[in-house]
Amino acid sequence: DTAGPTPPADCCRAWHGAATIAVFDTTLPGTMANLYSLIQAALHKRGSAIVVNTAAHDVSALQLDERVGRYAAALLSLGLRPGDRLAVQVEKSFDNLVLYLAALRIGAVYLPLNTAYQPAEVQYFLSDATPRVFVTTPSRQAELAQVVQVAGVDSLVTLGVQGDGTLAQLADRQQFSAPVAERAGDDLAVICYTSGTTGRSKGAMITHANLISNACSLIEIWRFSSKDVLLHALPLYHIHGLFVALHCALLSGARILLQPRFDARMVIDCLSQTTVMMGVPTFYTRLLTEPDFTRERVRNVRLFISGSAPLLDDTFHAFESRTGQRILERYGMTETGMITSNPLRGERRAGTVGMPLPQVAIRITDAQGNALPAGSAGVVEVRGPNVFQGYWNLPEKTAAEFRSDGFFITGDLGTIEADGYLKLIGRAKDLIISGGLNVYPKEIEAVLDALPGVIESAVFAIPHPDFGEAVAAAVTLQPNAHQTPENIIATLRTQLAAFKTPKRVYILDELPRNAMSKVQKALLRDRYRQEFTNG
Ligand code: AMP
């Protein structure tokens, strides 16, 4: 296997002295293993410096800690105790950020829910995780009241984007700041439901030690400091915006420009103040469609980071020629936090996700779990302090996804190049087996994307009576492109083995994606499943 640089990444020690030992010793007593105690120490160090800007407010470090203390007291007054779950489905806002920190502070287990979830889906999460309190937006209170009752949740409170709602009022009435609760490193901090593109989504149990170790490693390898200003346009219900972005900034004392959502115009307006931007690939493709997104605009930005979905080589190169900067791509998942990253100094290699973080080991295995040599394609497995504890209420599912030596089976397919860079080639469940032969979608997508006029593509399987599965592709085209499904297939026949060549090509206006920029291949499979069969 391939291990990251020498442990430990003790970047937190600089401002928190002995408490950082808790990062790597999950048995230490007291509040030291609570992630919020590290955040609080960093905030106290920054004092009256501004650490969050929103459209309406400039918030100093001490004001942030004070507001978190009030929210924490409000949560205690609702009966939340360490270990209790707090489910939250609200629009992104400053108070949403505060609420997350308040949950950490009192040792509650934060359960973020995508705002797109409908009542039936919310009911599933509430019944599965049995939170004591559920926070929703004021406008959805009536709609969700019954769901909350059926799931047996004690309290339903609301939080709006303007800091309005019953929970915000309760926080405003609090007279004291709740103390930081004692936690052990292996106590749960968050349960994050996976996006669940197939089957029911599962609750990943993430501990304080998982979050702290990952944040410290990222701060170290990306050299975050209090001089940084982070542009935050990601959602707060997913690990990219909630953990990677927030923790790097808060623990290093950096300032956060908190935007309600991604809007290319708003981002461009803020770039002159920004030093680091984190985004999903679509942020970058959208920025590139704006003519005034220029080298001049980004001259204060030292780092653009991309993740959560594959960054196209074309985007990487177009971005570099427009801005003179190479996007740094990293890879992670809900269950593991961040796993690999391209280097800050050193080659950022397009089409790869870089090397393992400090203390993280990765390997590529075959279906039986045997490690494969460099260059071979197989499943990515990962082990380290970043890896979650398991799936909530699903011990068997958890056991099935860990090897006996502690490696977690990510379900991603990849290869490790001879010099250690990891290249992802798709999800194992997206692997196509046509006539008994393996087809890796990424390989076909790369050939499609290189055709003149093709913007991007998604290759997926559809049922076929003869081959079991047939290769199919959806592509998007530039407006003036002269491509048809027939001539795309004809060209591909000259470049790929017959079994890899798509039997069908569909030209779409855009690929179906979720909010994190991931292409929804399950939707494509579903849409075209009857092309060759009735199934
Ligand atoms: P989630 O748990 O929603 O964060 O999704 C995790 C999955 O996103 C991973 O297992 C990968 O399949 C995918 N992913 C994350 N980062 C990247 C990346 N840089 N390139 C390609 N896929 C990625």
Side-chain angles (χ1 to χ4, degrees):
D1 56 354
T2 313
T6 6
D10 60 352
C11 54
C12 301
R13 193 181 305 266
W15 60 82
H16 205 56
T20 53
I21 296 163
V23 175
F24 303 108
D25 181 351
T26 52
T27 60
L28 274 183
T31 60
M32 300 197 305
N34 184 327
L35 167 61
Y36 191 75
S37 71
L38 298 185
I39 293 175
Q40 188 176 52
L43 292 176
H44 285 184
K45 194 166 174 229
R46 296 291 284 144
S48 57
I50 301 298
V51 290
V52 182
N53 297 111
T54 67
H57 304 287
D58 300 330
V59 186
S60 76
L62 290 179
Q63 285 168 333
L64 175 59
D65 184 47
E66 199 261 345
R67 185 120 189 102
V68 171
R70 280 176 195 266
Y71 264 85
L75 294 177
L76 288 179
S77 78
L78 292 170
L80 267 183
R81 294 293 172 264
D84 286 347
R85 272 80 58 210
L86 169 70
V88 177
Q89 189 190 32
V90 298
E91 300 295 335
K92 182 180 179 182
S93 69
F94 171 64
D95 283 74
N96 178 192
L97 181 162
V98 171
L99 176 60
Y100 165 58
L101 298 178
L104 292 176
R105 180 163 170 152
I106 63 161
V109 181
Y110 189 77
L111 199 160
L113 292 173
N114 187 330
T115 40
Y117 286 132
Q118 296 304 306
E121 294 166 299
V122 173
Q123 182 165 333
Y124 164 72
F125 295 120
L126 299 183
S127 309
D128 191 48
T130 58
R132 189 177 290 280
V133 177
F134 175 49
V135 189
T136 183
T137 50
S139 60
R140 294 192 76 189
Q141 185 175 17
E143 181 192 8
L144 290 166
Q146 204 199 343
V147 160
V148 165
Q149 203 180 12
V150 172
V153 178
D154 282 358
S155 308
L156 171 63
V157 289
T158 61
L159 183 63
V161 284
Q162 310 295 346
D164 50 325
T166 55
L167 180 62
Q169 287 159 10
L170 190 60
D172 286 338
R173 288 202 300 273
Q174 298 305 308
Q175 302 294 332
F176 81 109
S177 266
V180 180
E182 288 191 10
R183 290 280 81 189
D186 58 4
D187 279 331
L188 297 191
V190 179
I191 296 178
C192 248
Y193 278 83
T194 57
S195 25
T197 40
T198 50
R200 281 245 124 136
S201 89
K202 308 180 286 285
M205 300 189 288
I206 300 161
T207 66
H208 284 266
N210 291 151
L211 296 177
I212 295 172
S213 73
N214 215 227
C216 289
S217 294
L218 295 177
I219 289 169
E220 181 171 280
I221 64 168
W222 294 339
R223 296 267 174 254
F224 259 86
S225 80
S226 57
K227 294 201 198 82
D228 277 312
V229 181
L230 174 85
L231 198 151
H232 193 303
L234 291 157
L236 285 178
Y237 54 72
H238 181 268
I239 65 158
H240 195 165
L242 190 66
F243 300 161
V244 186
L246 284 189
H247 297 169
C248 280
L250 291 169
L251 285 172
S252 60
R255 182 153 62 91
I256 299 171
L257 304 178
L258 195 72
Q259 309 214 325
R261 77 198 80 82
F262 175 81
D263 175 296
R265 296 306 325 161
M266 273 195 306
V267 166
I268 289 172
D269 286 345
C270 285
L271 284 172
S272 64
Q273 298 182 56
T274 301
T275 69
V276 181
M277 173 170 164
M278 293 186 191
V280 294
T282 33
F283 288 12
Y284 297 115
T285 50
R286 288 201 199 145
L287 283 171
L288 286 168
T289 63
E290 300 287 331
D292 68 337
F293 179 67
T294 58
R295 190 178 284 246
E296 175 59 19
R297 291 265 187 186
V298 304
R299 72 172 194 285
N300 293 332
V301 185
R302 68 172 182 90
L303 184 58
F304 288 98
I305 301 173
S306 176
S308 292
L311 181 73
L312 294 179
D313 288 11
D314 274 359
T315 312
F316 179 90
H317 293 301
F319 196 92
E320 184 175 14
S321 55
R322 179 82 73 88
T323 64
Q325 302 212 25
R326 290 165 84 83
I327 298 173
L328 182 153
E329 187 172 6
R330 95 299 178 279
Y331 155 61
M333 63 194 301
T334 303
E335 290 89 334
T336 62
M338 297 304 100
I339 301 170
T340 64
S341 170
N342 269 281
L344 182 68
R345 304 198 176 92
E347 189 196 354
R348 298 183 197 162
R349 196 174 294 168
T352 80
V353 291
M355 283 158 289
L357 264 48
Q359 292 191 291
V360 175
I362 61 169
R363 66 186 181 196
I364 301 291
T365 58
D366 63 16
Q368 287 70 45
N370 303 309
L372 296 173
S376 320
V379 177
V380 181
E381 297 188 0
V382 55
R383 185 172 67 185
N386 54 319
V387 177
F388 76 138
Q389 270 196 346
Y391 295 111
W392 176 259
N393 278 341
L394 295 170
E396 279 158 25
K397 185 84 195 151
T398 303
E401 300 204 5
F402 278 90
R403 301 284 180 201
S404 53
D405 58 0
F407 274 83
F408 171 66
I409 306 164
T410 63
D412 287 314
L413 298 172
T415 59
I416 300 177
E417 297 180 352
D419 57 0
Y421 282 73
L422 174 67
K423 199 172 186 168
L424 295 176
I425 50 178
R427 296 283 299 161
K429 64 174 192 293
D430 293 332
L431 177 74
I432 304 167
I433 305 180
S434 191
L437 298 168
N438 286 0
V439 181
Y440 294 96
K442 186 75 183 256
E443 183 191 345
I444 322 302
E445 285 159 9
V447 177
L448 279 163
D449 294 348
L451 296 179
V454 171
I455 302 174
E456 58 175 351
S457 59
V459 168
F460 55 98
I462 46 180
H464 190 282
D466 231 12
F467 300 108
E469 290 182 332
V471 180
V475 300
T476 63
L477 298 178
Q478 279 154 3
N480 52 356
H482 299 290
Q483 293 283 10
T484 61
E486 294 71 31
N487 64 30
I488 291 177
I489 291 174
T491 314
L492 256 52
R493 273 207 195 107
T494 66
Q495 300 182 21
L496 290 167
F499 74 95
K500 294 184 190 171
T501 305
K503 300 213 168 359
R504 287 283 187 276
V505 169
Y506 307 100
I507 293 176
L508 305 183
D509 290 339
E510 56 183 29
L511 300 179
R513 290 181 190 280
N514 70 8
M516 296 313 293
S517 184
K518 292 181 213 295
V519 175
Q520 304 290 279
K521 289 196 177 178
L523 284 182
L524 292 170
R525 282 193 287 264
D526 225 41
R527 191 180 302 166
Y528 300 111
R529 62 178 309 112
Q530 298 196 330
E531 192 72 69
F532 295 110
T533 64
N534 294 325

